[in-house]
């Protein structure tokens, strides 16, 4: 399906402690993220930036987007290659570097999917499907830093 897709989200700052942004330490970094028809997400900045560590932050959400996009693209690639995936887990990591001027950027993300396939004859195609998934992943194709993959493929016990 070729086409243009549009997405809408509402971000609402909920951290006014009564004096707004009167000072750097005077407001909470709490945000509610909303998409119509879906549960709200309680978000904040990361703890080093005066955020609430119990809430999702933008860096977590970026890493989650990359991991999930690869997972979904990979499952599609496996179906088209005749690979039966019975389990998929990813322990993704990302490295962000501050620039010393108040900003920064991600240096890289590493996805470490652990995939279990139904039969040993599927291992090579399951490995190749990661390359196809990388080409198909909308999110990975939208970022300006490397997204590396370190997959492990095993075969389900009989």
């Amino acid at each position: 399906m070729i086409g243009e897709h549009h997405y809408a989200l509402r971000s609402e700052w909920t951290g006014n402690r009564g004096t707004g942004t009167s000072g750097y330490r005077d407001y909470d970094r709490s945000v509610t993220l909303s998409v119509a028809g879906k549960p709200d997400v309680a978000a904040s900045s990361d703890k080093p930036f005066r955020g609430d560590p119990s809430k999702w932050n933008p860096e977590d959400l970026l890493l989650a987007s990359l991991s999930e996009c690869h997972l979904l693209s990979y499952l599609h690639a496996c179906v088209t290659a005749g690979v039966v995936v019975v389990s998929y887990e990813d322990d993704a990591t990302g490295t962000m570097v501050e620039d010393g001027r108040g900003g920064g950027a991600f240096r890289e993300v590493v996805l470490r999917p652990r995939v279990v396939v139904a039969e040993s004859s599927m291992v090579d195609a399951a490995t190749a499907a990661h390359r196809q998934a990388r080409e198909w992943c909308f999110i990975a194709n939208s970022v300006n830093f490397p997204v590396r993959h370190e997959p492990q493929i095993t075969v389900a016990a009989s």
Side-chain angles (χ1 to χ4, degrees), residues 54-95:
S54 71
K55 296 179 181 176
W56 286 83
N57 62 58
E59 296 81 11
D60 294 332
L61 293 166
L62 177 63
L63 189 59
S65 293
L66 286 162
S67 179
E68 182 182 1
C69 187
H70 184 80
L71 181 157
L72 296 171
S73 298
Y74 179 77
L75 296 178
H76 178 96
C78 284
V79 167
T80 62
V83 174
V84 177
V85 174
V86 297
S87 174
Y88 183 113
E89 295 178 346
D90 181 16
D91 290 318
T93 59
T95 303

Side-chain angles (χ1 to χ4, degrees), residues 83-84 116-127 153-158:
V83 174
V84 177
V116 179
V117 297
E119 299 175 11
S120 60
S121 62
M122 299 174 176
V123 170
D124 290 341
T127 301
I153 312 292
T154 58
V155 180
S158 302

